[in-house]
C-alpha cells in the first residue's frame, strides 16, 4: 500500500499514529543534523522531519539526496510540531520519518511548482502536466467538476435526461467552420464534428424525450479570437411543450442554484431587458450591470446649437464617469487618444467636467452654456465630481464605441468585481442580422429560431425589424447562455430556409431529416445552451477560460504539449483516398 | 402554458380539477356520440373523453378529426373513469375535454408507435426520432442516464474528479484505426480523434490529480463487427499511488453499487480468476459464470487407448451438458454439424450419453469401456441424464471451439438469464500477444501496461509467458472493463516501445511528451475503462448496445437518419488543401 493517509488530512488527533504517506517533494530544508521536507499531493502538504538523533542513518542519507518534485513514500510517526503553522490544515503535526523510498526521481522542473510560478504561459502550456500540479490550476479543474456535478444533479432532479448525441455527424450550412472527418469505410465521404447538437436535440423533442440536457463538446474550425477554443463545452438543453417563460424560469433556477451552491451568493429574480433596450442603455447586447454609467441619449439636448458634429450625428450619447473630474487635462487627452484607437474607432470625444461647486467645464464651451451642460448632466445622471464623456455618429457605431469606453472606465475604476454577480436576461433579439460581407440577412441565432407571433409577414417588408423568440443569459457582461423557441412546423421552417437563401435542394440535402421529422407530430419546443468554459471561469471569478481547461489549445489551435495537429502517414492518407494539395 | 400536468401523473385525488394536457395521440376510438383518445407523453398515457352530451360540438368535431401522432393540447375536467384500468397508473381517471387545439398534425407514421412495433430495424433507424417515442427505446435512454448519474455521483463521493480531456489530439501508433481531422489553420496537418484518453489520463496522474474519471466518447475507424460503433462511450478512470488491489476494490465497489442501485441486486465479493485459469476452465478470457459446464481436460484419461485422434491431440477436453442425454441421435448429429461450421471450426465431436441407469453410451465405444467413460464423467462432472461433448486438437483452438459450444448450449438451455448477474475479475493477463499477420508480439492491453515485477527479463527469452499487471472485469460473459497498472518510469517505457518495434524516433514523435513527463516525478499509477454502452445494455438485461444509444450508426458506420457521412463541398476541400484521389 502506497499510503495510509493523504497529505491533507493529518491533525493533532493523529499524534502517535504510524502512517505511510506518498507524494511530491515540494521543499527541502537540509540543516545536516536535521532535514525537513514538505510532502505534497492533491489534498495538501504535510511536513516530514528527519532528525539524526531519531532517524536511522540510512534514511537520513536518502532524505538528504531527494530533490524538488521527487516522488517519495515515507513511513513514520505523527508527532506534534514544534513551531506550529496555523496557515496549514496539517500545521499542528509533522511526521518523524523512519523509512523512505524514492518512487521516482525528477529533473529540475522548468518552472517552479508554486501558486505564483516563474513560468510564462508558453512554457506552462508545453509542460501542462507540471502546471496542473500547481494549486491554482488543479483547483480550477476540481472547481469545474463541482460545477458540472451541480448542473447534472439539478437538471436530473428536474426530470431532464442527459442523452448523448453523436459526434460524427454531417456538415451543415455553417459548414465553412465545420471540422470534417474523412471516412475510411465510406470512400470519399466525410463526417463533420458538431458545432452544436442543435438538430439532434430538436429530434429528441420530436421523439418525446420532453426534457433533454447534455454536457457536450462542440467544435468550430475558425480563426481563433483570443480566449476561444476549437473545441469547447456546452451545457445543452431542450424542452418540449414550453414557452419562452418556462425556459427562462428553469435556467434562471439553475443559475441561481449554482451561484448559491458554488459561490454562496443569493440572487433574487433576474432582471430582464429587451435587446433594443440593452443596446440603447448600454450599447451592448450583453451589458455588465454590476455598475452604472448608463448611456444618456443627448440628441434633443445638444442638437439645437451650432456644433455641427453633433447636429449631423445620428446619435449623440454620453456616460457619466464617477469621480472622473479628477482626471488631469493630460489624462483626458490620453482617454481621447484611447477612444480614437482603431480598436474603438471614435473620431473624437467631447467631455464635460462636473465641478464640485456645481459648475461645468466642457470641451465645447464655445457652443454650450451652463444650462445646456446641466441638461447633459441630468440626462447622463452625472453628479459633482464626475466626468461626462460624449461620443457621436452613426447609431450602431457610436453605441459600440461608447460601450467600449464604459467598460474601459469600469476596469480602471475597478467596478468589475469578480465576487459580485449580476445576471440579466436579454430578450426579444432580432431574428436576422445584416451581413456586410455577403450583403444579405442571415439568422442571428440560427435558422431554427422562431419569429415572434405575427412577425413572419414583416420578413418581406422590414426584415431587420423582425423580433425572435430568442434570449441570452448575461452574467457580468458575458453571454453565458443563449437560446430560442424553435420553429416546429415544416412550412415555417421551409419558408425560413428559403428566406435565408437555401435552395429547396440545399435545404433538403442538409436538413431533410429535420423537415421530415416535423411532418410526424413535432411538439412546440425550445431550449438553450450555456457555454460551460465561460460559465465556470466567471463563477470562479476569473477571466480566461483557458485556466479552466485541462489541456487547452493555443491561439493557432495547437496543443503545444503533444504537438498536434501534425502530419500523418502517406499510408493513412492513401487509405482515406486523400491527397494533400499544398505545394511543399 | 401548454400543460398543467403531464400525462402520467393524474390520479383519483385529482378528480374535479380542471387541467390542461399536451401530448401525442396514441389511439382514438370514435363511436360518433363519444370519442376516446389516449394522450401520450414521456411520462405516461391519460385517457381523454369527448361526449356529445357534455362536450361542445366544435370541440367534438375537432376531436373526431385528429389522427395518430397528432400533437394536441386539451383542457378539461378530471373525472372518475367508468371502466377503470388497473394496468395504467392513470387508469382511475379520464379527462372530460372542454377545449382542444391541434398543435401539430402528423402523417401516418411508417411504423406503429407501440412497445411491439411492426417496424423493421432499418426503418426504425431511418426514423429514429419516431422510434424514440416508443417506450422500450425511450426507457433505455432514461435508464442510461440513471446509470451515468449513479456512476458520476459514486465516483465523485470517492474523491474522483471528472476532467475533460481533448478530442482533437494526435494520431497514435494504433493510428491505422484513428479518425483524422484536417486542420484549416495548420495547413496539411491533422488532428486525430482519441481511441481513448489513455495518455492524457496518465498525464493527469503526473499532474497530481490523484483520482480522475471521465465519461467520454472514443472513436475507432475500423471495420465494424456486429454491435460495435465507430463512436462509443467509456467510463475512463485513473488513480495514482495505487496497486492493482486498490483499483479492483474501487471498481468492484462501483459495480456493486450500480447493481444495487439500478438493479436492486446484492452481490458479495467478486470472484477472481487468472487469465490462465479462465482459459483452462472456460476456454475464454471472459467466461460467463452464471452456469457451469466447466471444461474437463481429459488427456490423461483418454490417451491410453487406440483412439488416434485423441492420442495425437494437444488437448482433449469436454463439457457435460445438463440433461443433454434427451437429445435424439438426429439432434446430436445436428450438433456435430454445428461445431463443424466454419465459425466454430471443429473437425468433429465425440460424445457420451450418460444414461439414467448409470451406464454410458459413447460414439467411441470401440475404444473405451464403461470404466473409461465413468472417468470422463467424473472429470467433466457429468451426471445421469447429461451429455458429455468432447473436442480435441491444438490447445487454443480446442478451447475456443469448446467455449463456443458451451455458450451455444447455455443459450439453448436458457441458462443465460438477463436478470442474473455474475461479475468476475480476470487477472494476470499476458503482457504480449502474438500477431499472426505481422508475425510479431504486440501489447495485449496497450504499450503503457506494466509487466509483473521481475518479469521484464523474460521478454527476451519467453515473451509470451510475461504476465502483466492487467485485469478485466467480466459481467455475464462480457468484458465490461479492463485496465492495468501502468509503467511510470521513462526507462521501462522506452524499453517497452523498443520491444514493441518502435524506433526511438517513432517513440519520440508519438509519445515524446509522455516520456518527457515521466522524467519529472511521475507517480505509480493505474486505472481502467468501462465500456458504458455494453455495461448499460447488460444492466438493462439486453444484448444489443444499439438499443441503448440514441442515434446509433449501422454496420457500415452510417447514420441512415441524417445520411452521414456524405460528400463535402469542393470549396471546403480546397480550404483544407485536400483532394480526393478516388476515381469517380
Amino acid at each position: 500500500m502506497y499510503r495510509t493517509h493523504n497529505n491533507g488530512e493529518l491533525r493533532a488527533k493523529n499524534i502517535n499514529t504510524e502512517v505511510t504517506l506518498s507524494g511530491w517533494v515540494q521543499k527541502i530544508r537540509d540543516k545536516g543534523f536535521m532535514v525537513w521536507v514538505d510532502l505534497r499531493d492533491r489534498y495538501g502538504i504535510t511536513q516530514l522531519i528527519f532528525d539524526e538523533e531519531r532517524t536511522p542513518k540510512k534514511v537520513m542519507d536518502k532524505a538528504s539526496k531527494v530533490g524538488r518534485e521527487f516522488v517519495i513514500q515515507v513511513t513514520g510517526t505523527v508527532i506534534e510540531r514544534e513551531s506550529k503553522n496555523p496557515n496549514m490544515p496539517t500545521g499542528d503535526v509533522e511526521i518523524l520519518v523512519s523509512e523512505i523510498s524514492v518512487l521516482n526521481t525528477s529533473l529540475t522542473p522548468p518552472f517552479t511548482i508554486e501558486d505564483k510560478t516563474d513560468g510564462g504561459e508558453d512554457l506552462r502550456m508545453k509542460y501542462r502536466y507540471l502546471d496542473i500540479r500547481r494549486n491554482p490550476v488543479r483547483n480550477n479543474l476540481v472547481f469545474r467538476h463541482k460545477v458540472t456535478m451541480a448542473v447534472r444533479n439539478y437538471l436530473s432532479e428536474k426530470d431532464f435526461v442527459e442523452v448523448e448525441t453523436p459526434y460524427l455527424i454531417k456538415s451543415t450550412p455553417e459548414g465553412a467552420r465545420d471540422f470534417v472527418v474523412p471516412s475510411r469505410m465510406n470512400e470519399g465521404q466525410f463526417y463533420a464534428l458538431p458545432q452544436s447538437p442543435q438538430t439532434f436535440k430538436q429530434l429528441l423533442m420530436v421523439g418525446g424525450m420532453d426534457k433533454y440536457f447534455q454536457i457536450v463538446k462542440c467544435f468550430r474550425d475558425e480563426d481563433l479570437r483570443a480566449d476561444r477554443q476549437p473545441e469547447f463545452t456546452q451545457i445543452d438543453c431542450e424542452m418540449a411543450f414550453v414557452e419562452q417563460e418556462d425556459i427562462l424560469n428553469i435556467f434562471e433556477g439553475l443559475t441561481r442554484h449554482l451561484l448559491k451552491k458554488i459561490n454562496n451568493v443569493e440572487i433574487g429574480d433576474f432582471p430582464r431587458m429587451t435587446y433594443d433596450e440593452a443596446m440603447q442603455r448600454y450599447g451592448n447586447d450583453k451589458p455588465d450591470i454590476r455598475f452604472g454609467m448608463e448611456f444618456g441619449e443627448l440628441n434633443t439636448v445638444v442638437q439645437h446649437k451650432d456644433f455641427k458634429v453633433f447636429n449631423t450625428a445620428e446619435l449623440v450619447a454620453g456616460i457619466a464617469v464617477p469621480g472622473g473630474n479628477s482626471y488631469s487635462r493630460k489624462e483626458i487627452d490620453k482617454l481621447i487618444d484611447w477612444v480614437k484607437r482603431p480598436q474603438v474607432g471614435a473620431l473624437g470625444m467631447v467631455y464635460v467636467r462636473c465641478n464640485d461647486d456645481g459648475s461645468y467645464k466642457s470641451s465645447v464651451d464655445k457652443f454650450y452654456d451652463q444650462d445646456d451642460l446641466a441638461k447633459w448632466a441630468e440626462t447622463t445622471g452625472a453628479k459633482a465630481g464626475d466626468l461626462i464623456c460624449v461620443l457621436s455618429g452613426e447609431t450602431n457605431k457610436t453605441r459600440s464605441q461608447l460601450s467600449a469606453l464604459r467598460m474601459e472606465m469600469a476596469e480602471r475604476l475597478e467596478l468589475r468585481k469578480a465576487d459580485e454577480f449580476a445576471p440579466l436576461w436579454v430578450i426579444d433579439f432580432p431574428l436576422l442580422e445584416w451581413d456586410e460581407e455577403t450583403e444579405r440577412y442571415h439568422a442571428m441565432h440560427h435558422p431554427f429560431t422562431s419569429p415572434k407571433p405575427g412577425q413572419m409577414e414583416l420578413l418581406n417588408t422590414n426584415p431587420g425589424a423582425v423580433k425572435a423568440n430568442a434570449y441570452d443569459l448575461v452574467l457580468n457582461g458575458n453571454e453565458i447562455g443563449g437560446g430560442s423557441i424553435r420553429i416546429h412546423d415544416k412550412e415555417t421552417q421551409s419558408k425560413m430556409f428559403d428566406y435565408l437563401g437555401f435552395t429547396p435542394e440545399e435545404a433538403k440535402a442538409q436538413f431533410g431529416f429535420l423537415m421530415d421529422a416535423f411532418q410526424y407530430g413535432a411538439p412546440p419546443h425550445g431550449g438553450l445552451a450555456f457555454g460551460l468554459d465561460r460559465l465556470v471561469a466567471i463563477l470562479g471569478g476569473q477571466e480566461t477560460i483557458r485556466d479552466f481547461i485541462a489541456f487547452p489549445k493555443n491561439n493557432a489551435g495547437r496543443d503545444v504539449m503533444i504537438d498536434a495537429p501534425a502530419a500523418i502517414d502517406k499510408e493513412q492518407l492513401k487509405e482515406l483516398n486523400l491527397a494533400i494539395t499544398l505545394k511543399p
Side-chain angles (χ1 to χ4, degrees), chain A residues 307 310 329 332-333 336 349-353 360-368 373 376 388 390:
Chain A
F307 188 45
F310 281 179
R329 175 61 203 256
I332 293 179
D333 282 346
I336 293 173
M349 182 182 95
V350 166
Y351 65 88
V352 184
R353 290 178 174 283
Y360 302 98
K361 175 82 191 79
S362 83
S363 58
V364 285
D365 278 352
K366 219 189 320 186
F367 303 105
Y368 301 97
L373 297 177
W376 296 28
I388 304 173
V390 180

Side-chain angles (χ1 to χ4, degrees), chain A residues 154-155 158-161 198 201-206 208-213 236-252 254 425 471 484-488 522-529:
Chain A
Y154 184 88
L155 292 175
K158 300 273 179 207
D159 271 341
F160 283 77
V161 178
Q198 183 63 32
K201 68 176 175 176
Q202 293 192 240
L203 291 176
L204 286 172
M205 293 304 104
V206 176
M209 280 307 300
D210 207 77
K211 296 194 179 84
Y212 145 91
F213 83 103
D236 192 49
C237 305
E238 197 80 1
M239 303 168 76
F241 301 114
V242 287
E243 290 161 346
Q244 174 169 310
E245 191 62 26
D246 303 298
I247 295 183
L248 299 194
N249 285 336
I250 282 278
F251 294 99
E252 184 168 320
L254 170 63
W425 284 112
Y471 34 81
S484 65
I485 299 294
R486 325 298 182 188
I487 297 166
H488 69 279
H525 62 285
L528 105 182

Side-chain angles (χ1 to χ4, degrees), chain A residues 133-307:
Chain A
R133 281 192 200 159
R134 298 170 52 240
N135 291 322
V137 179
R138 200 188 47 241
N139 290 347
N140 282 352
L141 299 180
V142 176
F143 183 82
R144 183 185 179 106
H145 169 63
K146 279 190 189 144
V147 173
T148 59
M149 283 306 295
V151 169
R152 285 194 159 101
N153 281 311
Y154 184 88
L155 292 175
S156 291
E157 274 161 33
K158 300 273 179 207
D159 271 341
F160 283 77
V161 178
E162 184 161 19
V163 180
E164 292 176 58
T165 52
Y167 280 96
L168 296 172
I169 64 165
K170 193 159 128 172
S171 201
T172 59
E174 302 89 24
R177 289 165 177 185
D178 278 342
F179 282 108
V180 296
V181 183
S183 165
R184 216 159 43 107
M185 290 178 68
N186 300 272
E187 298 188 333
Q189 299 192 325
F190 293 76
Y191 302 99
L193 299 178
Q195 296 187 38
S196 97
Q198 183 63 32
T199 48
F200 288 95
K201 68 176 175 176
Q202 293 192 240
L203 291 176
L204 286 172
M205 293 304 104
V206 176
M209 280 307 300
D210 207 77
K211 296 194 179 84
Y212 145 91
F213 83 103
Q214 189 183 190
I215 299 186
V216 61
K217 273 279 175 77
C218 301
F219 304 86
R220 208 174 293 150
D221 188 10
E222 63 185 344
D223 299 340
L224 296 170
R225 281 183 261 161
D227 214 22
R228 284 235 186 170
Q229 291 281 315
E231 51 177 306
F232 52 98
T233 308
Q234 301 261 24
I235 307 171
D236 192 49
C237 305
E238 197 80 1
M239 303 168 76
F241 301 114
V242 287
E243 290 161 346
Q244 174 169 310
E245 191 62 26
D246 303 298
I247 295 183
L248 299 194
N249 285 336
I250 282 278
F251 294 99
E252 184 168 320
L254 170 63
T255 311
R256 199 184 288 117
H257 172 76
L258 292 178
L259 284 165
K260 175 71 188 136
K261 193 173 169 82
I262 305 289
N263 298 84
N264 200 24
V265 171
E266 300 261 12
I267 305 261
D269 285 346
F270 292 7
R272 295 183 187 184
M273 196 180 285
T274 64
Y275 171 88
D276 288 347
E277 192 185 345
M279 294 309 287
Q280 196 172 16
R281 288 171 60 188
Y282 299 97
N284 196 316
D285 62 0
K286 42 179 193 286
D288 190 338
I289 59 169
R290 279 176 297 183
F291 55 92
M293 289 196 273
E294 287 189 28
F295 291 9
E297 296 201 346
L298 297 163
N299 293 43
T300 55
V301 178
V302 302
Q303 290 180 336
H304 61 296
K305 292 293 165 66
D306 297 335
F307 188 45

